[in-house]
Every structure is written in C-alpha cells, then in structure tokens.
C-alpha cells in the first residue's frame, strides 16, 4: 500500500477519441440547426469559404517557394558563367571568343539558363485552374456572411438619429460594414492574382474576418437587448409597475422602435389618471372645508368687537 500511494495517476489521452469527436460534432450540428435560417446559412458558408481560401493560399505559397528556388538556381548558374567570361577576358588573347570558351567549360549559355529558369517556373505552377476555381468559390461563399448576420430586427435603426446616443450594437454594426467595404477591394485580386501571390487572399480574409466578428457581436448585443426589453414589457403588462420601475426598465440601450405593451398598459395609465383626478378633487374639497371652518371661528369674535350696545347691556346687568 505504501508503494501504491506513490504510483503515478492514470492520465487521459492527449487527443480525444473518435466517439468523443462524433459526439462533439453532433452537438455542434444541433446547435447550428436551432438557429434561424440566415444564421445556419452563414455558419455553413463562412467556414467553407475560409477553408477554400486557405487551401488556395497554401498552394500559392508553395508555388512562390518553388519559383524562388528556380530564381536562385538560375542566378547561380548565370553568376558561374559570368565569372568564367571575366577570367577569359583577362587571360585569353583577343582573337579567341570567350563565350565559346566558357560554353565549352561550363556546358551552357545565358539563353540556356534563361530557358531553364522559365521551364522551372512553369513546372512550379501546379493546378492553376483548380487554384483559381477554389479562390472564386471561397470568395463567393464568404461574401454573403456579413449581410446574412446583419438581418436581425431593427438592424438599421439609428439610435444617434433618435437622440438616444451611440450604442455598442450600432458601433459594431458600423465597423462591420466598413471592414466589409474594404474587403470588396480585394475580391478581384484574390481570384486573378498570379500563381505565387497571396497578398489579395490574405487581405480579403483579414478584412472579412473583422467584418464577420463585428457583425456577430452586434447581432448578439441586439438579441440580448431584445430579450431584456421583452422581459420588462412582460412584467409591466402582466403584473403592473410603478413609474420609477417603468423608467428603470426603459433606461439603457434601446434596440429598434418602441414595443407596444397592449391593452393592459392603457388600462393602467387610465387608472392612474383617474386616481390623480380624485386626489386633486379631495384636496380641493379639503381646502374649502378648512376655509369655511376658519371663517366660522372668526365670526363671533368680530361680533363681540363691533357691538357697543351689547357691551353696555352686559355692564348694566353686572
């Protein structure tokens, strides 16, 4: 037992098993299927288009490496030929041709080097039609993602124009469309650039990634605000609330146009107005009664002060 206490605990496998991967895949698919149709479409188009563009970028990168190797080999051969001609011009009499001499020693000429380099570059351009087709498919798949994510309720509602200030949802919405506009500048270079160039694809993926992330965050904030507004309206319509609670429920980020509560809210407002009128009427009547009581108390005092005959009769009786 003493030795067993120092035994190393069993560790889990560093990679998940096939059954765990299948279970995670089913959970992800179920989560995607529960979303609205635009979100489901964006979930399938975005990763698919990104994967296609990454494959084309990988092919273009390998092509660029191969072409760079051809260039270095051609430069090395041409440098060897030029060194031979330089030595020949110094040591050989003018009557002999240095080009023929170096050709016999090096076994190639400048034209042969250029032709060999051109053939090497053509051999590096692997699957040119497939590469362009994948680039076109990837661009066309990624472009609709941002418009699909932006199809939420009151997406184009401008809080700043309504005097409500700028909200995080609106700021992210503007950033998303700005990045999306910049990404359209790289649509044609992503498809039509040379075999060894990846600049257009990289810039397109960066700007589209920023636009997709910003639009997804804006949609999430709008959904959270809509849930809070619906819960507040449900409480007001079902249970009623005070004016302070109504103000507290409406303070914050407003998403879209105001939501109509319904007949219950109208009845509540009419009840509050009737109670207010009754309170005002009671206050008016109470003020009148206080004035009447005050006038009744002051009347005998005035009569005692202004009746001299009464005072004389009182003295005679005394």
């Amino acid at each position: 037992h003493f030795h067993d206490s120092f035994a190393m605990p069993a560790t889990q496998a560093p990679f998940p098993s096939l059954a765990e991967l299948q279970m995670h895949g089913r959970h992800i698919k179920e989560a995607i299927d529960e979303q609205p149709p635009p979100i489901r479409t964006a979930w399938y188009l975005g990763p698919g288009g990104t994967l296609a563009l990454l494959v084309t970028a990988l092919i273009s990168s390998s092509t660029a490496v191969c072409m760079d190797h051809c260039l270095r080999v051609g430069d090395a051969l041409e440098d060897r030929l030029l060194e031979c001609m330089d030595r020949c011009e110094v040591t050989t009499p003018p009557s002999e041709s240095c080009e023929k001499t170096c050709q016999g020693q090096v076994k190639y000429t400048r034209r042969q080097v250029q032709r060999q380099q051109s053939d090497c570059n053509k051999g590096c351009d692997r699957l040119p039609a497939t590469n362009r087709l994948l680039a076109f498919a990837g661009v066309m798949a990624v472009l609709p993602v941002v418009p699909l994510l932006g199809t939420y309720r009151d997406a184009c509602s401008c809080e700043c124009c309504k005097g409500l200030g700028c909200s995080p949802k609106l700021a992210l919405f503007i950033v998303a469309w700005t990045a999306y506009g910049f990404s359209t500048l790289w649509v044609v270079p992503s498809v039509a650039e040379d075999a060894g160039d990846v600049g257009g694809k990289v810039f397109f993926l960066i700007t589209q990634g920023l636009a997709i992330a910003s639009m997804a965050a804006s949609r999430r904030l709008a959904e959270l605000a809509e849930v809070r507004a619906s819960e507040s309206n449900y409480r007001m319509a079902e249970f009623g609330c005070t004016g302070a609670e109504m103000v507290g429920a409406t303070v914050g980020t407003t998403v879209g146009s105001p939501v109509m509560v319904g007949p219950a809210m109208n009845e509540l407002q009419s009840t509050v107005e009737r109670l207010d009128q009754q309170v005002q009427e009671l206050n008016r009547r109470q003020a009148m009664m206080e004035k009447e009581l005050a006038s009744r108390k002051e009347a005998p005092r005035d009569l005692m002060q202004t009746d001299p005959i009464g005072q004389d009769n009182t003295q005679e009786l005394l």
Side-chain angles (χ1 to χ4, degrees):
H1 295 290
F2 179 78
H3 292 288
D4 293 340
S5 61
F6 287 93
M8 294 297 292
T11 58
Q12 297 180 353
F15 300 103
S17 62
L18 181 60
E20 292 177 350
L21 291 176
Q22 291 178 352
M23 183 180 63
H24 289 309
R26 284 196 300 269
H27 290 168
I28 294 173
K29 189 176 184 303
E30 291 175 358
I32 293 174
D33 292 338
E34 292 176 357
Q35 299 294 329
I39 304 301
R40 290 202 302 268
T41 307
W43 265 103
Y44 290 120
L45 288 179
T50 303
L51 181 62
L53 286 173
L54 289 176
V55 171
T56 58
L58 181 62
I59 295 174
S60 299
S61 299
S62 64
T63 302
V65 171
C66 179
M67 294 175 69
D68 183 69
H69 174 71
C70 295
L71 180 62
R72 285 188 285 106
V73 171
D75 290 341
L77 293 176
E78 190 171 358
D79 290 341
R80 184 181 175 187
L81 181 61
L82 291 176
E83 289 176 1
C84 176
M85 293 182 66
D86 290 339
R87 290 195 302 269
C88 177
E89 290 177 356
V90 175
T91 59
T92 305
S95 59
E96 297 183 3
S97 175
C98 290
E99 186 174 358
K100 291 182 179 180
T101 304
C102 290
Q103 182 179 359
Q105 294 178 359
V106 183
K107 306 300 181 183
Y108 56 83
T109 61
R110 287 185 178 181
R111 291 183 179 180
Q112 291 175 346
V113 171
Q114 294 175 356
R115 187 181 304 109
Q116 184 178 358
Q117 184 177 351
S118 178
D119 295 339
C120 181
N121 290 333
K122 290 180 180 179
C124 292
D125 191 5
R126 306 180 184 92
L127 304 175
T130 304
N131 194 15
R132 293 186 186 278
L133 182 61
L134 282 175
F136 179 78
V139 168
M140 292 297 104
V142 173
L143 279 177
V145 174
V146 171
L148 288 173
L149 292 176
T151 57
Y152 57 87
R153 183 179 299 177
D154 295 328
C156 298
S157 178
C158 180
E159 288 87 354
C160 297
C161 303
K162 297 178 182 178
L164 301 177
C166 186
S167 62
K169 185 266 296 184
L170 181 61
L172 289 170
F173 188 80
I174 295 173
V175 170
W177 280 113
T178 303
Y180 185 83
F182 277 108
S183 69
T184 57
L185 300 176
W186 305 101
V187 171
V188 175
S190 299
V191 179
E193 61 187 356
D194 294 336
D197 295 336
V198 294
K201 301 177 182 65
V202 171
F203 279 111
F204 180 79
L205 285 175
I206 291 174
T207 51
Q208 278 291 328
L210 177 61
I212 292 171
S214 301
M215 187 61 74
S218 176
R219 185 185 184 93
R220 181 60 178 169
L221 290 176
E223 290 175 351
L224 292 176
E226 187 176 357
V227 169
R228 289 195 298 266
S230 62
E231 290 178 355
S232 175
N233 293 331
Y234 173 75
R235 288 195 299 268
M236 288 190 292
E238 192 72 18
F239 307 105
C241 62
T242 61
E245 292 174 345
M246 290 173 61
V247 173
T250 55
V251 170
T253 305
T254 304
V255 179
S257 60
V259 181
M260 300 302 295
V261 177
M265 189 61 190
N266 296 330
E267 293 177 1
L268 179 62
Q269 290 179 354
S270 61
T271 303
V272 172
E273 291 177 358
R274 286 198 305 271
L275 290 174
D276 191 12
Q277 293 177 359
Q278 292 176 2
V279 170
Q280 292 179 2
E281 183 66 21
L282 289 174
N283 291 333
R284 187 177 63 81
R285 291 183 181 182
Q286 185 178 2
M288 292 177 61
M289 291 177 64
E290 290 177 354
K291 288 181 180 179
E292 186 176 356
L293 290 174
S295 62
R296 288 181 181 179
K297 289 180 181 179
E298 293 177 356
R301 296 179 182 177
D302 294 341
L303 292 174
M304 293 294 292
Q305 293 176 0
T306 59
D307 191 1
I309 300 174
Q311 292 178 0
D312 295 339
N313 293 334
T314 304
Q315 291 177 1
E316 291 176 358
L317 290 174
L318 293 174

Short mmCIF file of all heavy atoms in Angstrom, two decimals, residues 226-249:
data_model
loop_
_atom_site.label_atom_id
_atom_site.label_comp_id
_atom_site.label_asym_id
_atom_site.label_seq_id
_atom_site.Cartn_x
_atom_site.Cartn_y
_atom_site.Cartn_z
N GLU A 226 -33.01 42.80 -26.87
CA GLU A 226 -34.39 42.45 -27.18
C GLU A 226 -34.98 41.52 -26.12
O GLU A 226 -36.15 41.65 -25.74
CB GLU A 226 -34.46 41.78 -28.55
CG GLU A 226 -35.87 41.52 -29.04
CD GLU A 226 -35.89 40.96 -30.45
OE1 GLU A 226 -34.80 40.85 -31.04
OE2 GLU A 226 -36.99 40.65 -30.93
N VAL A 227 -34.18 40.60 -25.61
CA VAL A 227 -34.66 39.72 -24.54
C VAL A 227 -34.96 40.51 -23.28
O VAL A 227 -36.00 40.30 -22.63
CB VAL A 227 -33.60 38.62 -24.27
CG1 VAL A 227 -33.95 37.85 -23.00
CG2 VAL A 227 -33.52 37.67 -25.45
N ARG A 228 -34.07 41.46 -22.91
CA ARG A 228 -34.33 42.28 -21.73
C ARG A 228 -35.58 43.13 -21.90
O ARG A 228 -36.38 43.27 -20.98
CB ARG A 228 -33.12 43.17 -21.44
CG ARG A 228 -31.91 42.42 -20.93
CD ARG A 228 -30.90 43.39 -20.33
NE ARG A 228 -30.41 44.32 -21.34
CZ ARG A 228 -29.31 44.13 -22.04
NH1 ARG A 228 -28.60 43.02 -21.88
NH2 ARG A 228 -28.92 45.03 -22.93
N ALA A 229 -35.76 43.69 -23.11
CA ALA A 229 -36.94 44.52 -23.34
C ALA A 229 -38.22 43.69 -23.28
O ALA A 229 -39.24 44.13 -22.73
CB ALA A 229 -36.83 45.22 -24.69
N SER A 230 -38.21 42.49 -23.84
CA SER A 230 -39.41 41.64 -23.80
C SER A 230 -39.74 41.22 -22.38
O SER A 230 -40.91 41.18 -21.98
CB SER A 230 -39.19 40.42 -24.69
OG SER A 230 -38.11 39.64 -24.22
N GLU A 231 -38.72 40.90 -21.57
CA GLU A 231 -38.98 40.54 -20.18
C GLU A 231 -39.56 41.72 -19.41
O GLU A 231 -40.50 41.56 -18.62
CB GLU A 231 -37.68 40.08 -19.53
CG GLU A 231 -37.17 38.74 -20.04
CD GLU A 231 -35.86 38.34 -19.39
OE1 GLU A 231 -35.33 39.18 -18.61
OE2 GLU A 231 -35.38 37.21 -19.64
N SER A 232 -39.04 42.92 -19.63
CA SER A 232 -39.56 44.10 -18.95
C SER A 232 -41.00 44.39 -19.37
O SER A 232 -41.86 44.69 -18.53
CB SER A 232 -38.67 45.31 -19.26
OG SER A 232 -39.20 46.48 -18.71
N ASN A 233 -41.28 44.28 -20.66
CA ASN A 233 -42.65 44.52 -21.14
C ASN A 233 -43.61 43.47 -20.60
O ASN A 233 -44.77 43.77 -20.30
CB ASN A 233 -42.66 44.53 -22.66
CG ASN A 233 -41.91 45.70 -23.24
OD1 ASN A 233 -41.84 46.76 -22.61
ND2 ASN A 233 -41.34 45.54 -24.41
N TYR A 234 -43.14 42.24 -20.48
CA TYR A 234 -44.00 41.19 -19.93
C TYR A 234 -44.34 41.49 -18.47
O TYR A 234 -45.48 41.32 -18.04
CB TYR A 234 -43.29 39.84 -20.05
CG TYR A 234 -44.03 38.72 -19.35
CD1 TYR A 234 -45.18 38.16 -19.91
CD2 TYR A 234 -43.58 38.24 -18.12
CE1 TYR A 234 -45.85 37.14 -19.26
CE2 TYR A 234 -44.24 37.23 -17.47
CZ TYR A 234 -45.38 36.67 -18.05
OH TYR A 234 -46.05 35.67 -17.40
N ARG A 235 -43.34 41.93 -17.69
CA ARG A 235 -43.63 42.26 -16.30
C ARG A 235 -44.60 43.43 -16.19
O ARG A 235 -45.50 43.42 -15.35
CB ARG A 235 -42.32 42.60 -15.57
CG ARG A 235 -41.43 41.40 -15.31
CD ARG A 235 -40.36 41.74 -14.29
NE ARG A 235 -39.52 42.83 -14.77
CZ ARG A 235 -38.39 42.64 -15.43
NH1 ARG A 235 -37.99 41.42 -15.72
NH2 ARG A 235 -37.66 43.66 -15.82
N MET A 236 -44.43 44.45 -17.03
CA MET A 236 -45.33 45.60 -16.98
C MET A 236 -46.74 45.21 -17.40
O MET A 236 -47.73 45.67 -16.82
CB MET A 236 -44.80 46.72 -17.87
CG MET A 236 -43.58 47.42 -17.31
SD MET A 236 -43.15 48.90 -18.22
CE MET A 236 -42.62 48.17 -19.77
N ALA A 237 -46.86 44.37 -18.42
CA ALA A 237 -48.19 44.00 -18.91
C ALA A 237 -48.89 43.00 -18.01
O ALA A 237 -50.11 43.03 -17.87
CB ALA A 237 -48.07 43.42 -20.32
N GLU A 238 -48.13 42.13 -17.35
CA GLU A 238 -48.74 41.05 -16.56
C GLU A 238 -48.97 41.45 -15.11
O GLU A 238 -50.00 41.14 -14.54
CB GLU A 238 -47.82 39.82 -16.63
CG GLU A 238 -48.46 38.55 -16.10
CD GLU A 238 -49.53 38.02 -17.04
OE1 GLU A 238 -49.54 38.42 -18.22
OE2 GLU A 238 -50.35 37.22 -16.58
N PHE A 239 -48.01 42.16 -14.51
CA PHE A 239 -48.08 42.45 -13.09
C PHE A 239 -48.26 43.93 -12.78
O PHE A 239 -48.61 44.28 -11.67
CB PHE A 239 -46.81 41.95 -12.38
CG PHE A 239 -46.52 40.51 -12.65
CD1 PHE A 239 -45.51 40.14 -13.51
CD2 PHE A 239 -47.28 39.51 -12.07
CE1 PHE A 239 -45.23 38.81 -13.76
CE2 PHE A 239 -47.01 38.18 -12.33
CZ PHE A 239 -45.99 37.83 -13.18
N GLY A 240 -47.98 44.80 -13.76
CA GLY A 240 -48.04 46.24 -13.48
C GLY A 240 -46.79 46.69 -12.76
O GLY A 240 -46.06 45.91 -12.17
N CYS A 241 -46.53 48.00 -12.78
CA CYS A 241 -45.36 48.53 -12.11
C CYS A 241 -45.56 50.00 -11.86
O CYS A 241 -46.47 50.63 -12.40
CB CYS A 241 -44.10 48.30 -12.93
SG CYS A 241 -44.13 49.13 -14.53
N THR A 242 -44.69 50.57 -11.02
CA THR A 242 -44.74 51.98 -10.72
C THR A 242 -44.02 52.78 -11.79
O THR A 242 -43.35 52.22 -12.66
CB THR A 242 -44.09 52.25 -9.35
OG1 THR A 242 -42.73 51.84 -9.41
CG2 THR A 242 -44.82 51.47 -8.26
N GLY A 243 -44.13 54.11 -11.64
CA GLY A 243 -43.45 54.95 -12.63
C GLY A 243 -41.95 54.81 -12.57
O GLY A 243 -41.27 54.82 -13.58
N ALA A 244 -41.42 54.67 -11.34
CA ALA A 244 -39.97 54.51 -11.21
C ALA A 244 -39.50 53.23 -11.86
O ALA A 244 -38.46 53.18 -12.52
CB ALA A 244 -39.58 54.52 -9.73
N GLU A 245 -40.27 52.13 -11.71
CA GLU A 245 -39.90 50.87 -12.34
C GLU A 245 -39.98 50.98 -13.85
O GLU A 245 -39.17 50.42 -14.57
CB GLU A 245 -40.82 49.76 -11.85
CG GLU A 245 -40.61 49.41 -10.39
CD GLU A 245 -41.63 48.41 -9.89
OE1 GLU A 245 -42.64 48.24 -10.59
OE2 GLU A 245 -41.43 47.84 -8.83
N MET A 246 -40.99 51.72 -14.35
CA MET A 246 -41.08 51.92 -15.80
C MET A 246 -39.88 52.67 -16.32
O MET A 246 -39.29 52.32 -17.34
CB MET A 246 -42.36 52.67 -16.15
CG MET A 246 -43.63 51.87 -15.93
SD MET A 246 -45.09 52.86 -16.18
CE MET A 246 -44.88 53.32 -17.87
N VAL A 247 -39.44 53.72 -15.58
CA VAL A 247 -38.26 54.48 -16.02
C VAL A 247 -37.03 53.61 -15.94
O VAL A 247 -36.20 53.57 -16.84
CB VAL A 247 -38.10 55.75 -15.16
CG1 VAL A 247 -36.78 56.44 -15.49
CG2 VAL A 247 -39.27 56.69 -15.38
N GLY A 248 -36.90 52.82 -14.87
CA GLY A 248 -35.74 51.94 -14.74
C GLY A 248 -35.71 50.86 -15.78
O GLY A 248 -34.66 50.42 -16.22
N ALA A 249 -36.89 50.41 -16.21
CA ALA A 249 -36.93 49.36 -17.23
C ALA A 249 -36.57 49.87 -18.59
O ALA A 249 -36.07 49.15 -19.44
CB ALA A 249 -38.33 48.74 -17.27
#
